Amino acid sequence: MPHALLVSGSLGQGHDVMAQACADTLRERGWTTRTVDAMGLLGERSGAAGEAVFRRLLDLPGVYDAFHFSALRPGARLALLADAAARARLVPALRELITAQRPQLVVSVFATATSAVNQLHDRGFRHFVFCTDVTPHRLWVQEGTDLFLVTSEVAACAVRRYRPDAEILVVPAPLRRPFYRPPDRAAARAELGVPPEADCVLLMSGSWGLGPIARTAASLAAAGPHVLAVAGRNGELERRLRAAARNRPRLHPFGYTDRIPALMAAADLVVTSSGDTCSEARALGRRLLLLDVVQGHGRDNLQHELELGHADVATARPAEVVRNALAALGRPEPQPSAGASPEGWRKGFGAALERAGLG
């Protein structure tokens, strides 16, 4: 059977979701797959240091914006030096993996992996890069990539900025499987203890729980709606949410959970940072209130979501979120997004394989 190696990255959860979608579709077509974490391949110390630096950049207002727009976007010397340092560690590890597994396809869903894979000049495989950001930066777009998979025409233009002759395919954004068949609103609310006629808001901000989510959740619940607040992998945030919920019966706290489809089905409004959650909310026909908490590529993704419609934006200040959320709850709900089906994604990814002679 043909084999594929998928290279993800453990900064947040979005890369892993995309890698899983690719792996699932490949296995349905008779492939075997393995997914590896580029951060892990850097080595325990280097991977941990890389994550710590990225988190710190996001914590300092404007710092990651400056790095993204002045270094990553144009491919300035500082960005290329950082990429070269990571590549020096990744290339030997990837070469060992590829020699052992002999894949016909490698899919990079993490920018740090892209140039490292393309350094393997004697390869016997095709290389896809899959990026769901609306404007892939310079490190995503390297010579040697056979096919770029993106989820919008805007992203295709961003790729051509660096490689005008690049092979590009626009595909539907894949969803986690439960979002294709979520529970209906009544069943989800009965499961979660939310009254049928109550206003209900789902509040989350990525797997890291960026922003003052606990204070925002408490303020929202005090203003009237039921609030389903998700901490993700942020243990301290989960503790704060559970403490806040003790005196607020309309606040329903969650840590890391696989119940997001039910939580989203129960909600009238999804308050979240820009990212793959937006596609999931649109698939269910839920209005969005976007928190402006992700710098750099997050700003681009946020602007694109606003352009798609049925979305508003707020800073992470609790009072502003509450005011915007209450106003958004009075607006009409959108229809579920057209084309949000597993068949659309499978067809798109199948077309990519056929274009590369692997179908």
Side-chain angles (χ1 to χ4, degrees), residues 30-328:
W31 289 61
T32 59
T33 70
R34 181 180 173 188
T35 300
V36 296
D37 174 20
M39 299 297 289
L41 293 178
L42 288 171
E44 185 175 350
R45 288 187 178 181
S46 296
E51 179 174 337
V53 168
F54 187 67
R55 285 177 178 264
R56 185 60 177 158
L57 287 175
L58 290 179
D59 286 340
L60 297 172
V63 174
Y64 186 65
D65 275 337
F67 181 62
H68 179 86
F69 291 109
S70 67
L72 288 175
R73 178 70 64 80
R77 180 175 174 79
L78 179 60
L80 296 179
L81 286 172
D83 188 51
R87 185 171 64 240
R89 288 183 171 272
L90 281 175
V91 167
L94 285 168
R95 179 175 285 116
E96 183 177 345
L97 276 170
I98 287 169
T99 299
Q101 296 187 31
R102 304 182 67 81
Q104 285 74 48
L105 173 67
V106 176
V107 183
S108 298
V109 293
F110 190 58
T112 305
T114 303
S115 63
V117 173
N118 286 340
Q119 284 293 304
L120 304 175
H121 299 296
D122 55 345
R123 67 198 195 194
F125 58 85
R126 308 305 295 273
H127 181 207
F128 292 178
V129 166
F130 183 24
C131 179
T132 57
D133 288 338
V134 69
T135 50
H137 59 66
R138 182 65 182 88
L139 302 189
W140 279 105
V141 186
Q142 306 276 352
E143 295 295 332
T145 299
D146 295 299
L147 182 63
F148 294 89
L149 302 179
V150 296
T151 56
S152 71
E153 290 292 344
V154 179
C157 291
V159 172
R160 286 193 289 267
R161 170 180 178 168
Y162 310 112
R163 276 191 58 187
D165 59 345
E167 288 286 329
I168 307 169
L169 188 64
V170 179
V171 297
L175 308 177
R176 287 176 283 182
R177 285 184 170 183
F179 282 95
Y180 292 121
R181 292 185 179 179
D184 64 27
R185 192 191 307 259
R189 289 192 169 202
E191 174 189 342
L192 297 165
V194 177
E197 302 304 321
D199 287 331
C200 182
V201 175
L202 171 59
L203 173 65
M204 56 195 298
S205 186
S207 64
W208 288 353
L210 298 173
I213 297 299
R215 288 190 288 121
T216 301
S219 298
L220 261 175
H226 280 253
V227 180
L228 310 171
V230 180
R233 299 186 186 277
N234 189 329
E236 176 60 22
L237 174 56
E238 181 182 358
R239 185 191 66 76
R240 291 179 181 177
L241 287 172
R242 295 195 183 282
R246 293 190 188 109
N247 301 315
R248 296 174 177 83
R250 288 192 292 272
L251 176 53
H252 309 260
F254 299 86
Y256 183 76
T257 176
D258 60 1
R259 300 171 71 189
I260 299 299
L263 300 181
M264 200 173 284
D268 302 297
L269 174 71
V270 177
V271 182
T272 186
S273 54
S274 58
D276 301 315
T277 301
C278 298
S279 298
E280 295 167 347
R282 293 183 187 283
L284 271 62
R286 298 296 182 267
R287 192 172 184 89
L288 289 160
L289 174 59
L290 299 170
L291 302 176
D292 189 5
V293 294
V294 182
Q295 300 178 46
H297 65 283
R299 311 280 193 210
D300 293 325
N301 293 340
L302 189 153
Q303 289 299 122
H304 185 59
E305 292 296 338
L306 294 177
E307 185 179 31
L308 292 176
H310 304 295
D312 300 288
V313 61
T315 70
R317 301 184 188 97
E320 184 177 336
V321 176
V322 171
R323 183 178 180 184
N324 277 272
L326 294 178

